[in-house]
Amino acid sequence: MIKFEHVSKVYPNGVKGLRDINLEIQDGEFIGIIGMSGAGKSTFIRTINRLNSITDGTLTVDDVEISGLKGKALRQYRRKVGMIFQSYNLVPRISVIKNVLSSLVPDMPLGRVILGIFSKEDKLKALEALDRVSMLDKAFIRTDHLSGGQQQRVSLARTLAQNPSVLLADEPVAALDPVTAHEVMDDFKRINEELGQTVLINIHHVDLALEYSKRIIGIRSGEVVYDGPADEITQDILDFIYSKDEAE
């Protein structure tokens, strides 16, 4: 379980990214996070893997207060929290399978890392992850020969290979055409249902958020202004989430 208790984030320039967030996320949930650009959606999900450290409050994951994690403990924690970015973050001139195998490097002995030696078990794990996102047939193709949607699937496979319990996705389909966006969202949904992984997706497309998510968190000016079932959200609520704060 992920638990936010009075969590706030203030950036060094004084911008308030999050304001007094209080909520709980149960294991296995599929949550869409919506709001205007700059509302605090990315800040919200990045506090969970400590890419953003909170300023006030308490953030616990599986009863561990993550703000106090340092060094090896923080690195081990981050292995359990996968992150998928809009820009894929792949190495373009190497093969698809080598990109996926790169996620296993932190768990490998230094000598094997230096020599680039992966075990049979590692390779099978990478191939299994690619199979889960229908990219097994592209395993030995150079990554820069793939379409945007295919690259995002490789990014997802790379994250799956590290066996996380939580998947965070920051605008994973923003650069994709509608058909491909649905295909990638189908992958997230299937992984959530088959593997039971908690999925939190910061998503610009409201229609996709409502279609795929069971729960919606709406953020406006750093505050959670809606937290509830996707099928109970109304146009009035959406209008409020996407309205500009007059105090800004």
Side-chain angles (χ1 to χ4, degrees), residues 11 31 45 74 80 84 88 98 108 120 126 133 143 167 182 202 216 227 231 245 248:
Y11 288 99
I31 299 175
I45 65 170
L74 178 58
K80 298 189 297 183
I84 296 95
Y88 320 134
K98 286 184 178 179
M108 291 169 51
K120 181 179 179 180
V133 296
T143 308
L167 281 178
H182 273 90
N202 164 19
I216 295 290
D227 181 8
D231 57 8
D245 189 340
E248 292 181 342

Side-chain angles (χ1 to χ4, degrees), residues 70-88:
K70 297 179 181 179
K72 183 178 180 180
L74 178 58
R75 291 193 296 272
Q76 290 177 335
Y77 165 73
R78 283 177 169 159
R79 299 292 290 155
K80 298 189 297 183
V81 183
M83 184 77 174
I84 296 95
F85 299 89
Q86 177 182 342
S87 57
Y88 320 134

Side-chain angles (χ1 to χ4, degrees), residues 37-247:
S37 296
K41 305 187 301 299
S42 292
T43 301
F44 176 79
I45 65 170
R46 291 174 185 229
T47 60
I48 297 172
N49 62 0
R50 282 278 304 275
L51 287 181
N52 281 329
S53 296
I54 64 175
T55 307
D56 296 296
T58 304
L59 177 52
T60 57
V61 179
D62 295 334
D63 297 322
V64 176
E65 208 287 291
I66 66 169
S67 294
L69 296 178
K70 297 179 181 179
K72 183 178 180 180
L74 178 58
R75 291 193 296 272
Q76 290 177 335
Y77 165 73
R78 283 177 169 159
R79 299 292 290 155
K80 298 189 297 183
V81 183
M83 184 77 174
I84 296 95
F85 299 89
Q86 177 182 342
S87 57
Y88 320 134
N89 285 8
L90 300 172
V91 181
R93 295 189 177 185
I94 65 174
S95 68
V96 165
I97 191 169
K98 286 184 178 179
N99 269 285
V100 177
L101 285 167
S102 69
S103 69
L104 305 178
V105 166
D107 298 325
M108 291 169 51
L110 180 60
R112 283 175 53 198
V113 172
I114 293 172
L115 296 174
I117 299 174
F118 294 92
S119 68
K120 181 179 179 180
E121 183 183 45
D122 290 337
K123 293 174 183 177
L124 288 174
K125 188 181 295 185
L127 291 171
E128 181 182 356
L130 286 168
D131 192 32
R132 284 198 173 276
V133 296
S134 304
M135 288 294 293
L136 185 58
D137 61 327
K138 307 292 185 184
F140 300 100
I141 293 176
R142 262 182 43 159
T143 308
D144 56 2
H145 292 172
L146 303 179
S147 68
Q150 289 172 330
Q151 290 190 55
Q152 191 59 285
R153 281 178 159 152
V154 174
S155 177
L156 179 53
R158 180 185 57 189
T159 302
L160 288 177
Q162 72 186 56
N163 194 32
S165 57
V166 178
L167 281 178
L168 307 176
D170 195 1
E171 297 284 8
V173 298
L176 306 180
D177 64 79
V179 172
T180 307
H182 273 90
E183 292 172 349
V184 171
M185 290 298 292
D186 285 340
D187 289 332
F188 278 106
K189 190 65 173 177
R190 187 174 61 257
I191 288 162
N192 169 254
E193 293 173 347
E194 293 180 357
L195 301 181
Q197 292 176 334
T198 306
V199 176
L200 290 90
I201 297 186
N202 164 19
I203 189 165
H204 176 72
H205 302 286
V206 176
D207 56 337
L208 290 178
L210 297 179
E211 178 180 350
Y212 285 92
S213 308
K214 290 186 177 179
R215 175 181 173 187
I216 295 290
I217 294 175
I219 299 180
R220 177 175 180 265
S221 300
E223 296 181 300
V224 172
V225 294
Y226 179 82
D227 181 8
D231 57 8
E232 292 183 10
I233 204 164
T234 65
Q235 188 59 52
D236 286 344
I237 292 172
L238 289 175
D239 289 343
F240 181 67
I241 293 171
Y242 286 92
S243 63
K244 188 175 177 61
D245 189 340
E246 294 179 358

